[in-house]
């Protein structure tokens, strides 16, 4: 996994190990359902291309310090995230606060929440 | 009836020692001034040289098309100059590179206040026997070996010169930024070590330091006051699951189109909180901790963590819980808010 910032004038690249399983992705569409007095159901949809990604990372202590420095530099910038599947996303790190947990000696865990749009998908042939 | 006169000269300037024939042709067309003038001038220059391979070949084609408009004319006047130049080599020597240079200058001017159009077109045409490919690209790249001095400049200049004062204003906007980054994905330790790949940017953000912080081993030590400590409390190192929290003030908004906009001023406060839990404290350490807290409550203290890093800040949990787990075993958990000194 790789994160780069700031977009579009990228100047810093940080390479991270792949996240643990149970990573998640959720679209950020909204549906508001209303029912009228005669029973008719109305649904109002606000759709967009944003997705929220969530990754659990287990990092070495030095890599955690590198990620910490990256977040301190670019917490307000749009970043580019290239995940373990090769998908490229542009968006923001939305975790607040960023919690670095000392899991064991020299091992730090963190959960990154990212919200953005997919700018470069991966074709199925690349995944096979 | 419009008067039309055509005059043509064909002049043979001479013969070279080879089979080349050099001619000069001059054609002039006059149109009636009371009509809309449409003026086509097709001029071609073709020279075929049969020479030795070692001699240079030069062919120059100069083409000038002037248009003069006299008197008021309430319509657009356009002047287009299209110039194509191409080289065809049937036998491409392996040790030479065919060069094709196209210099094109297209200007148009008019003395009246009607619209003036100026257009510059670049057309590149490639012809080969087995494959036809037409590529017009602007590429600048540099490839150097190890230890070489790298200098790469790409300049795009846009100039608007005002040669008169008109009612309409002149505006020019050109936004051009550049940045550079790099990475070494084949490095096997790139996912473990402190290796941020920091290039060059616009200067809006301060990139992370490229040198890793120096970590050591130490014991959790609290000092008060921070500047010249008079009280020092040494505790055991905290248990695992300690938390280092970075909290930023940011504004997250979603536009009507669904775009996420995040804004934060760099001067807005940012907080760093260390949350630790210390176990196996003795009765004496518990008393010393209570005394230390009472003395330094709400004041800046120093914290030397278990990695040898010195922090300055204050304990933000004055009502911390001291749990008596068993005989001679007390556990505390507190939050420290501060920054690296």
């Amino acid at each position: 996994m790789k994160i780069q910032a700031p977009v579009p004038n990228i100047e810093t690249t940080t390479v991270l190990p792949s996240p643990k399983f149970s990573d998640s992705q959720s679209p950020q569409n909204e549906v508001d359902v209303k029912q009228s007095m005669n029973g008719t159901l109305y649904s109002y949809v606000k759709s967009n291309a944003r997705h929220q990604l969530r990754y659990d990372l287990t990092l070495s202590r030095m890599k955690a310090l590198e990620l910490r420095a990256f977040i301190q530099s670019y917490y307000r910038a749009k970043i580019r995230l290239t995940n373990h599947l090769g998908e490229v996303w542009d968006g923001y790190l939305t975790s607040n606060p960023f919690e670095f947990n000392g899991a064991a000696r020299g091992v730090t865990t963190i959960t990154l929440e990212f919200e953005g749009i997919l700018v470069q998908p991966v074709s199925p042939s690349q995944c096979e | 009836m419009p008067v039309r006169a055509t005059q043509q000269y064909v002049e043979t300037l001479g013969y070279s020692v080879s089979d080349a024939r050099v001619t000069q042709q001059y054609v002039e067309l006059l149109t009636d001034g009371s009509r809309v003038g449409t003026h086509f001038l097709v001029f071609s220059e073709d020279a075929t040289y049969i020479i030795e391979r070692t001699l240079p070949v030069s062919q120059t084609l100069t083409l000038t098309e002037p248009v003069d408009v006299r008197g008021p004319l309430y319509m657009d006047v356009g002047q287009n100059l299209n110039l194509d130049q191409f080289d065809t080599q049937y036998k491409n020597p392996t040790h030479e590179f065919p060069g094709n240079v196209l210099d094109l200058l297209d200007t148009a001017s008019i003395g009246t206040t009607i619209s003036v159009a100026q257009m510059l077109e670049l057309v590149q045409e490639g012809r080969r026997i087995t494959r036809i490919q037409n590529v017009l690209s602007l590429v600048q790249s540099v490839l150097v070996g190890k230890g070489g001095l790298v200098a790469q400049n790409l300049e795009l200049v846009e100039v608007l010169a005002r040669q008169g004062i008109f009612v309409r204003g002149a505006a020019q906007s050109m936004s051009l930024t550049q940045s550079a980054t790099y990475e070494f994905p084949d490095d096997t330790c790139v996912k473990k070590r402190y290796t941020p790949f920091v290039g060059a940017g616009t200067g809006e953000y301060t990139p992370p330091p490229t040198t890793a912080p120096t970590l050591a081993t130490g014991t959790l030590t609290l000092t008060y006051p921070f500047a010249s400590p008079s009280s020092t409390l040494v505790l055991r190192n905290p248990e695992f699951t300690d938390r280092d929290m970075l909290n930023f003030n940011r504004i997250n908004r979603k536009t009507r189109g669904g775009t996420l906009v995040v804004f934060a001023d760099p001067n807005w406060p940012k907080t760093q909180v260390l949350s630790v839990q210390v176990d196996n404290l003795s009765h004496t350490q518990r008393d010393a901790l209570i005394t230390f807290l009472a003395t330094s409550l709400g004041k800046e203290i120093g914290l030397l963590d278990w990695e040898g890093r010195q922090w300055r800040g204050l304990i933000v949990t004055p009502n911390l819980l001291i749990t008596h787990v068993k005989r001679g075993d007390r556990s505390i958990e507190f939050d420290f808010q501060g920054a690296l000194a």
Side-chain angles (χ1 to χ4, degrees), chain B residues 161-170:
Chain B
R162 190 177 65 179
Q163 295 182 345
I165 299 175
F166 301 95
V167 178
R168 298 180 182 87

Side-chain angles (χ1 to χ4, degrees), chain B residues 228-274:
Chain B
S228 54
S230 59
S231 176
T232 301
L233 176 64
V234 179
L235 301 173
R236 299 178 73 254
N237 279 337
E239 302 297 308
F240 285 123
T241 70
D242 60 285
R243 290 179 296 167
D244 178 8
M245 292 176 283
L246 301 177
N247 202 336
F248 303 100
N249 286 324
R250 292 181 290 184
I251 296 177
N252 296 5
R253 293 289 184 271
K254 299 175 180 64
T255 65
R256 290 174 180 266
T259 305
L260 175 65
V261 179
V262 175
F263 174 78
D265 192 290
N267 293 324
W268 288 355
K270 301 175 280 287
T271 59
Q272 303 176 40
V273 176
L274 289 178

Side-chain angles (χ1 to χ4, degrees), chain B residues 25-231:
Chain B
Q25 187 180 34
Y26 179 73
V27 179
E28 182 178 8
L29 284 80
L30 297 178
T31 59
D32 188 2
S34 61
R35 289 189 165 212
V36 176
T38 302
H39 188 175
F40 292 101
L41 174 62
V42 179
F43 191 92
S44 64
E45 183 184 34
D46 189 7
T48 302
Y49 296 92
I50 302 175
I51 56 176
E52 297 294 333
R53 292 178 56 190
T54 57
L55 294 178
V57 176
S58 176
Q59 182 182 6
T60 303
L61 173 61
T62 303
L63 186 61
T64 304
E65 185 185 25
V67 175
D68 293 332
V69 179
R70 296 172 183 173
L73 184 62
Y74 300 101
M75 60 182 64
D76 295 343
V77 174
Q79 182 184 16
N80 295 326
L81 175 61
N82 297 324
L83 183 62
D84 296 337
Q85 182 183 20
F86 58 88
D87 290 341
T88 301
Q89 290 203 357
Y90 297 99
K91 295 181 179 179
N92 188 8
T94 56
H95 60 283
E96 292 181 359
F97 184 78
N100 189 351
V101 179
L102 175 61
D103 295 329
L104 180 60
L105 176 63
D106 186 8
T107 60
S109 62
I110 192 167
T112 59
T113 57
I114 60 176
S115 63
V116 176
Q118 183 177 19
M119 182 170 58
L120 174 62
E121 292 183 355
L122 282 176
V123 177
Q124 188 183 35
E125 189 174 304
R127 296 178 180 177
R128 298 184 64 176
I129 297 175
T130 57
R131 180 184 175 193
I132 296 177
Q133 187 177 14
N134 191 354
V135 177
L136 176 61
S137 61
L138 182 62
V139 177
Q140 184 187 30
S141 63
V142 59
L143 179 63
V144 297
K146 185 177 181 181
L149 180 62
V150 180
Q152 184 181 21
N153 297 322
L154 174 61
E155 292 186 358
L156 288 177
V157 180
E158 184 186 29
V159 177
L160 176 62
R162 190 177 65 179
Q163 295 182 345
I165 299 175
F166 301 95
V167 178
R168 298 180 182 87
Q172 181 187 20
S173 63
M174 182 176 183
S175 178
L176 180 64
T177 58
Q178 67 173 1
S179 65
T181 186
Y182 67 98
E183 61 175 293
F184 301 128
D186 296 333
D187 188 354
T188 55
C189 297
V190 74
K191 296 179 181 177
K192 296 179 181 177
R193 291 179 179 169
Y194 187 97
T195 53
F197 301 110
V198 179
T202 58
E204 183 181 359
Y205 299 93
T206 303
T210 55
T211 56
T214 303
L215 299 182
T217 56
T219 305
L220 184 62
T221 305
L222 305 178
T223 55
Y224 170 76
F226 174 78
S228 54
S230 59
S231 176

Side-chain angles (χ1 to χ4, degrees), chain A residues 101-127:
Chain A
N101 297 305
R105 182 180 297 274
V107 178
T108 303
T109 62
I110 182 175
T111 299
L112 281 183
E113 291 181 1
F114 175 90
E115 190 167 326
I117 60 173
L118 181 65
V119 296
Q120 182 178 325
V122 178
S123 61
S125 59
Q126 287 180 262
C127 300

